[in-house]
Amino acid sequence: MNKNSLLSMKDLSAQEILSILDDAKCFNSSHDDWQLPMRKALVANLFFEPSTRTHYSFESAEFQLGCKVSDFNAETSSVKKGETLYDTVKTFESIGYDAVVIRHPEDNYFAQLEDVTIPIINAGDGRGNHPTQCLLDLLTIYDEFDSFEGLNIVICGDIQHSRVAMSNKQALETLGANLVFAGPKEWQRPGFPTMDFDEAVEWADVVMMLRIQKERGAALVSQMSDAEYLEKYGLNKERYSRMKENAIIMHPAPVNRGVEIDSDLVECEKSRIFKQMYNGVLVRKAVIKRAFGLKPFKED
Ligand code: CP
């Protein structure tokens, strides 16, 4: 595996995380039009699952950095003839690509790609990891509070099926935040500390809501109306009214308005949901720069 790959947040130290966030901040200020110095930077985006934000913010980041970008379509590729993921990625390596971005429904898909030598950037694996989503979440929190140490953070909803929950647990604990999980008890994960959501909304500096992942078999939703779910487990206006004055709302999106969050709160004063998407391009620029083996701006 290439050492500049990014597969899981557990592979990054606190210092490495902060270095990527610092680079992302530079992309928002002093280095907004910086491009990769190499003449050829061929990147392929391999998305085997639906995506709007991750797919197109990677593409935006790649274009801004001057990469030549290919958008792989599994439906019209030789995957349809039975080609494996390993052989697909080795093909991109063999025909001259310098890096690949991969989203795949299988947990830990990258374990089968050990022998690939070009950098792999994980854009989400099943219920396992979503490192660039986590980095954009961290950047949004960092922009707001300038630190992670001692911050109270609750992540609420379908924890069991969420790669965002997993990556954020790995990173936020490394960075010294106080992290708890809330939502239906059927959807909690062993080893993830829980707090009643009604208590947590008053305690938290960051309230992060998660979508119900119906596509990964979150069955509880079929027994409950959207309104019932919002009332019992969602961020409704009553819970919002009890949040701390400087607390913020986050959500990786896509949002199911009126289910895990009241539609009116998606763009309320405390919401940073669209700011997260903006930050997604910045962190992906930093991660691609890192994949090409370039030093952080501050070390240059
Ligand atoms: N947050 C996120 O991963 O969104 P997409 O599935 O649209 O990429």
Side-chain angles (χ1 to χ4, degrees):
M1 191 68 79
N2 187 295
K3 69 178 175 26
N4 299 321
S5 292
L6 176 63
L7 306 174
S8 169
M9 290 306 291
K10 71 177 176 347
D11 301 333
L12 298 178
S13 66
Q15 196 184 351
E16 286 169 314
I17 294 171
L18 293 173
S19 164
I20 293 172
L21 299 185
D22 280 340
D23 254 20
K25 276 177 175 283
C26 288
F27 276 121
N28 199 35
S29 51
S30 49
H31 291 71
D32 64 324
D33 56 1
W34 183 91
Q35 293 204 316
L36 293 169
M38 52 280 288
R39 188 183 58 78
K40 177 181 86 70
L42 275 180
V43 180
N45 296 327
L46 283 64
F47 279 72
F48 294 85
E49 263 192 356
S51 169
T52 299
R53 272 147 294 278
T54 313
H55 191 158
Y56 294 100
S57 62
F58 262 113
E59 204 164 285
S60 172
E62 290 153 0
F63 286 142
Q64 290 181 47
L65 290 176
C67 301
K68 309 279 184 296
V69 181
S70 291
D71 206 9
F72 171 78
N73 181 347
E75 289 303 305
T76 58
S77 75
S78 287
V79 169
K80 296 302 273 185
K81 302 175 204 165
E83 190 163 40
T84 63
L85 177 65
Y86 175 76
D87 286 339
T88 303
V89 179
K90 281 301 279 186
T91 300
F92 277 96
E93 178 179 282
S94 307
I95 62 181
Y97 281 81
D98 299 300
V100 287
V101 174
I102 305 177
R103 171 173 286 193
H104 198 279
E106 190 181 324
D107 289 14
N108 219 28
Y109 68 80
F110 41 77
Q112 61 198 280
L113 303 179
E114 275 292 327
D115 293 339
V116 171
T117 58
I118 55 174
I120 298 169
I121 302 174
N122 182 11
D125 61 288
R127 297 177 306 166
N129 304 270
H130 198 345
T132 57
Q133 175 69 45
C134 176
L135 287 164
L136 73 88
D137 293 340
L138 296 178
L139 181 60
T140 307
I141 295 169
Y142 201 34
D143 280 347
E144 203 73 34
F145 299 102
D146 238 9
S147 163
F148 299 96
E149 192 71 42
L151 268 189
N152 293 344
I153 301 176
V154 59
I155 302 182
C156 179
D158 180 2
I159 309 301
Q160 187 189 9
H161 301 99
S162 173
R163 52 197 175 206
V164 177
M166 180 61 94
S167 285
N168 272 305
K169 181 173 189 296
Q170 289 163 349
L172 285 165
E173 290 181 350
T174 300
L175 293 166
N178 305 314
L179 178 64
V180 296
F181 297 85
K185 65 178 184 322
E186 296 86 340
W187 289 345
Q188 299 308 309
R189 277 181 165 179
F192 283 48
T194 59
M195 188 185 281
D196 178 76
F197 191 41
D198 275 308
E199 221 179 292
V201 287
E202 296 182 11
W203 165 88
D205 301 298
V206 177
V207 175
M208 187 185 296
M209 303 305 298
L210 296 180
R211 176 178 72 86
I212 302 166
Q213 306 227 359
K214 296 178 191 173
E215 74 277 25
R216 292 186 217 287
L220 183 79
V221 69
S222 61
Q223 299 148 23
M224 204 181 271
S225 71
D226 291 354
E228 280 173 323
Y229 186 88
L230 180 62
E231 174 66 24
K232 201 157 178 204
Y233 303 111
L235 187 60
N236 59 15
K237 289 187 178 123
E238 189 279 322
R239 292 192 178 101
Y240 176 76
S241 72
R242 291 190 287 109
M243 285 175 63
K244 286 182 183 171
E245 190 181 342
N246 294 323
I248 60 168
I249 298 167
M250 296 173 59
H251 190 312
V255 174
N256 290 134
R257 289 172 178 255
V259 186
E260 68 273 12
I261 181 168
D262 187 299
S263 183
D264 292 342
L265 300 181
V266 173
E267 293 177 75
C268 72
E269 192 197 342
K270 291 186 185 305
S271 173
R272 300 293 180 271
I273 296 172
F274 288 95
K275 169 89 184 296
Q276 287 173 263
M277 297 178 206
Y278 176 85
N279 282 344
V281 178
L282 303 176
V283 298
R284 286 171 180 129
K285 284 171 85 168
V287 165
I288 294 162
K289 173 174 170 257
R290 176 180 176 275
F292 278 89
L294 296 161
K295 281 191 194 153
F297 291 124
K298 283 193 175 165
E299 287 178 25
D300 257 356

